[in-house]
Coordinates of all heavy atoms in Angstrom, one line a residue:
L597 N -62.8 17.5 17.3 CA -64.2 17.4 17.8 C -65.0 16.7 16.8 O -65.1 17.2 15.8 CB -64.7 18.7 18.3 CG -63.9 19.3 19.5 CD1 -64.4 20.7 19.8 CD2 -64.0 18.5 20.8
A598 N -66.0 15.8 17.3 CA -66.8 15.1 16.4 C -68.0 16.1 16.0 O -68.5 16.1 14.8 CB -67.6 13.9 17.1
D599 N -68.3 16.9 16.9 CA -69.3 17.9 16.5 C -69.0 19.2 17.3 O -69.0 19.2 18.5 CB -70.8 17.5 17.1 CG -71.8 18.4 16.7 OD1 -71.5 19.6 16.2 OD2 -73.1 18.0 16.7
V600 N -68.9 20.2 16.6 CA -68.4 21.5 17.2 C -69.4 22.1 18.2 O -69.0 22.8 19.2 CB -68.2 22.6 16.1 CG1 -69.6 23.1 15.5 CG2 -67.5 23.8 16.6
S601 N -70.6 21.7 18.2 CA -71.7 22.0 19.1 C -71.3 21.4 20.5 O -72.0 21.9 21.6 CB -73.1 21.8 18.6 OG -73.3 20.3 18.5
D602 N -70.6 20.3 20.5 CA -70.3 19.8 21.8 C -69.3 20.5 22.7 O -69.0 20.3 23.8 CB -69.7 18.2 21.6 CG -70.8 17.3 21.0 OD1 -72.0 17.8 21.2 OD2 -70.5 16.4 20.4
S603 N -68.6 21.5 22.1 CA -67.5 22.2 22.8 C -68.0 23.1 23.8 O -69.1 23.8 23.5 CB -66.7 23.1 21.7 OG -65.9 23.8 22.4
S604 N -67.5 23.2 25.0 CA -68.0 23.9 26.0 C -67.8 25.5 25.7 O -68.4 26.4 26.4 CB -67.5 23.6 27.4 OG -66.0 23.6 27.3
D605 N -66.9 25.7 24.8 CA -66.5 27.1 24.5 C -67.5 27.7 23.4 O -67.4 28.8 23.0 CB -65.2 27.2 23.9 CG -64.1 26.8 25.0 OD1 -64.5 27.0 26.1 OD2 -63.1 26.4 24.5
T606 N -68.3 26.9 22.9 CA -69.3 27.3 21.8 C -70.6 27.8 22.4 O -71.3 27.0 23.1 CB -69.5 26.3 20.9 OG1 -68.2 25.8 20.4 CG2 -70.3 26.7 19.6
E607 N -71.1 28.9 22.1 CA -72.3 29.4 22.6 C -73.4 29.0 21.6 O -73.2 28.8 20.5 CB -72.4 31.0 22.6 CG -71.3 31.5 23.6 CD -71.2 33.0 23.6 OE1 -72.1 33.6 22.9 OE2 -70.6 33.7 24.4
N608 N -74.7 28.7 22.2 CA -75.8 28.3 21.4 C -76.3 29.6 20.5 O -76.3 30.6 21.0 CB -76.9 27.9 22.3 CG -76.6 26.6 23.0 OD1 -75.9 25.8 22.4 ND2 -77.1 26.5 24.3

Side-chain angles (χ1 to χ4, degrees):
L597 294 174
D599 188 345
V600 72
S601 62
D602 292 339
S603 173
S604 59
D605 296 332
T606 304
E607 297 181 359
N608 292 329

